[in-house]
């Protein structure tokens, strides 16, 4: 059965509430979904095989709880299915997977719960920016005439799709520490023995491509090899003092010694939680040419005052 929780349009704030699913054989019988959807909305918690009495309960003990935010739902529902869905898809990763910048600034395609900021409530900020036109929703699986997003939106009986990518995510945001007030992606409960496909992009933020773009491309320094960045702790992204030295020497070492093993560990952990899933790890556009200068794509985008189009078409 497919399980739903109905979120009211107000009085729901937390991004960390666990919905506990009882009576199922899932290896992950819980789901976490940000509550601030800002509309009366049924939230799809996923498809489960129930071997006992179906129950759903809401855990009100959250890591972000301080006693001043509401946690609520007003109804749950169960939709019987005639068979197990063919596809259980989970979209994870960073901005290239969330769909950051897939439309012009101010676009209305971000899900409200992932694009909420009230200056009177700084704690409420969420900038995961999950877009309704992110590539995982536009992709079409073999044998299907409709996109993953279209199947999910129509509640197709053969599709169980969940979208938990978050803009800015690093490997530690996948594994251990959440971003934008959400739990780490692997702690949101969407991977289990039924998962058939995981889509993922990660590593770019660990590799500090935003810092490199800021330091070199956006400031007009077209040759980055001699530039340097502030040192950071790779486990939490915090500055540690000093600088990296020239990027021509630091970057290859950082990628080989830090980023590669972290991506490997992330993939292994995903596989452990979803042992039957195919994991599709996406790549990134080239930011710099071989001689260390900004790529022609970035120069064109910078000249046009936009970098949005790069995030709408990642490469495998």
């Amino acid at each position: 059965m497919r399980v739903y929780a109905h979120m009211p349009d107000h009085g729901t704030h937390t991004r960390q509430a666990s919905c506990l699913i009882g009576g199922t054989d899932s290896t992950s019988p819980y789901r976490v979904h940000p509550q601030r959807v800002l509309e009366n909305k049924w939230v799809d918690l996923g498809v489960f095989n129930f071997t006992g009495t179906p129950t759903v309960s809401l855990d009100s003990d959250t890591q972000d709880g301080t006693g001043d935010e509401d946690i609520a739902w007003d109804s749950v529902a169960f939709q019987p299915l005639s068979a197990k869905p063919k596809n259980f898809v989970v979209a994870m990763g960073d901005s290239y997977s969330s769909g950051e910048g897939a439309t012009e600034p101010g676009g209305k395609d971000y899900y409200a719960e992932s694009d909420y900021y009230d200056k009177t409530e700084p704690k409420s900020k969420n900038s995961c920016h999950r877009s309704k036109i992110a590539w995982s929703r536009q992709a079409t699986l073999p044998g299907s005439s409709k996109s993953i997003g279209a199947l999910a939106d129509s509640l197709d009986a053969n599709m169980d799709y969940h979208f938990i990518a978050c803009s800015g995510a690093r490997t530690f945001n996948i594994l251990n520490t959440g971003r934008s007030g959400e739990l780490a992606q692997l702690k949101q409960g969407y991977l289990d023995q039924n998962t058939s496909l995981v889509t993922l992009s990660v590593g770019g933020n660990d590799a500090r491509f935003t810092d490199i773009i800021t330091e070199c491309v956006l400031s007009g320094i077209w040759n980055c090899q001699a530039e340097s960045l502030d040192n950071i702790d790779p486990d939490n992204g915090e500055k540690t003092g000093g600088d990296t030295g020239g990027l021509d020497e630091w970057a290859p070492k950082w990628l080989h010694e830090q980023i590669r093993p972290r991506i490997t560990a992330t993939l292994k952990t995903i596989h452990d939680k979803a042992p039957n899933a195919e994991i599709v790890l996406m790549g990134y556009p080239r930011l710099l040419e071989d001689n260390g200068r900004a790529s022609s794509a970035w120069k064109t985008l910078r000249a046009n005052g936009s970098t949005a189009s790069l995030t709408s078409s990642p490469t495998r």
Side-chain angles (χ1 to χ4, degrees):
M1 292 191 288
R2 198 185 303 272
V3 181
Y4 304 89
H6 191 269
M7 302 293 179
D9 60 3
H10 65 283
T12 49
H13 298 151
T14 182
R15 295 184 287 281
Q16 300 183 4
S18 295
C19 297
L20 310 176
I21 317 297
T24 176
D25 63 0
S26 172
T27 55
S28 180
Y30 73 97
R31 297 290 187 268
V32 178
H33 190 284
Q35 290 212 324
R36 201 186 297 259
V37 298
L38 303 180
E39 60 179 310
N40 291 305
K41 179 180 179 180
W42 285 102
V43 171
D44 180 1
L45 300 180
V47 174
F48 298 86
N49 179 46
F50 288 96
T51 57
T53 302
T55 63
V56 181
S57 58
L58 182 63
D59 188 349
S60 61
D61 183 11
T62 68
Q63 294 180 19
D64 66 342
T66 58
D68 57 356
E69 288 195 332
D70 292 339
I71 178 172
W73 62 13
D74 55 16
S75 188
V76 295
F78 299 88
Q79 176 193 13
L81 300 177
S82 60
K84 178 180 179 179
K86 179 180 179 181
N87 302 297
F88 288 77
V89 182
V90 181
M92 307 176 66
D94 55 23
S95 61
Y96 282 80
S97 288
S98 74
E100 174 81 64
T103 58
E104 293 298 319
K108 304 299 183 181
D109 66 320
Y110 292 138
Y111 289 96
E113 63 269 27
S114 72
D115 184 35
Y116 184 88
Y117 179 69
D118 184 339
K119 64 183 180 181
T120 65
E121 299 180 72
K123 182 182 172 183
S124 70
K125 181 178 180 180
N126 188 322
S127 55
C128 281
H129 289 170
R130 286 184 282 269
S131 171
K132 296 172 186 176
I133 57 173
W135 72 264
S136 66
R137 285 182 48 84
Q138 296 189 63
T140 300
L141 296 176
S144 177
S145 61
K146 295 182 179 179
S147 68
I148 291 175
L151 293 173
D153 292 345
S154 65
L155 303 178
D156 188 279
N158 270 316
M159 176 58 66
D160 184 55
Y161 169 78
H162 299 283
F163 190 14
I164 58 176
C166 183
S167 182
R170 304 186 186 191
T171 51
F172 59 80
N173 299 131
I174 304 289
L175 298 173
N176 302 309
T177 306
R179 182 170 174 80
S180 291
E182 298 188 4
L183 295 178
Q185 292 177 34
L186 283 177
K187 296 183 179 180
Q188 295 180 32
Y190 290 95
L191 300 179
D192 67 7
Q193 79 276 20
N194 295 311
T195 307
S196 59
L197 174 64
V198 176
T199 64
L200 174 71
S201 61
V202 72
N205 292 299
D206 299 78
R208 306 185 63 183
F209 62 9
T210 300
D211 294 334
I212 293 172
I213 292 168
T214 302
E215 179 70 22
C216 300
V217 181
L218 299 184
S219 62
I221 302 173
W222 299 119
N223 192 333
C224 284
Q225 296 187 41
E227 297 300 307
S228 63
L229 305 175
D230 293 330
N231 284 323
I232 64 167
D233 183 336
D235 290 321
N236 57 28
E238 299 293 332
K239 293 182 179 180
T240 59
D243 62 48
T244 61
L247 294 181
D248 55 344
E249 295 185 4
W250 169 82
K253 183 177 180 181
W254 180 258
L255 290 170
H256 182 74
E257 296 182 0
Q258 294 290 340
I259 309 310
R260 184 173 182 173
R262 289 170 187 274
I263 293 175
T264 300
T266 300
L267 294 173
K268 183 180 184 302
T269 305
I270 291 173
H271 175 68
D272 290 343
K273 289 186 173 291
N276 300 312
E278 178 181 2
I279 303 171
V280 177
L281 177 65
M282 305 296 285
Y284 298 96
R286 183 181 294 276
L287 302 182
L288 304 174
E289 303 289 6
D290 291 341
N291 62 2
R293 297 183 180 275
S295 70
S296 57
W298 274 106
K299 290 181 182 179
T300 300
L301 289 168
R302 183 174 181 272
N304 293 334
S306 172
T307 59
S309 63
L310 282 181
T311 62
S312 63
S313 56
T315 55
R316 183 166 181 175

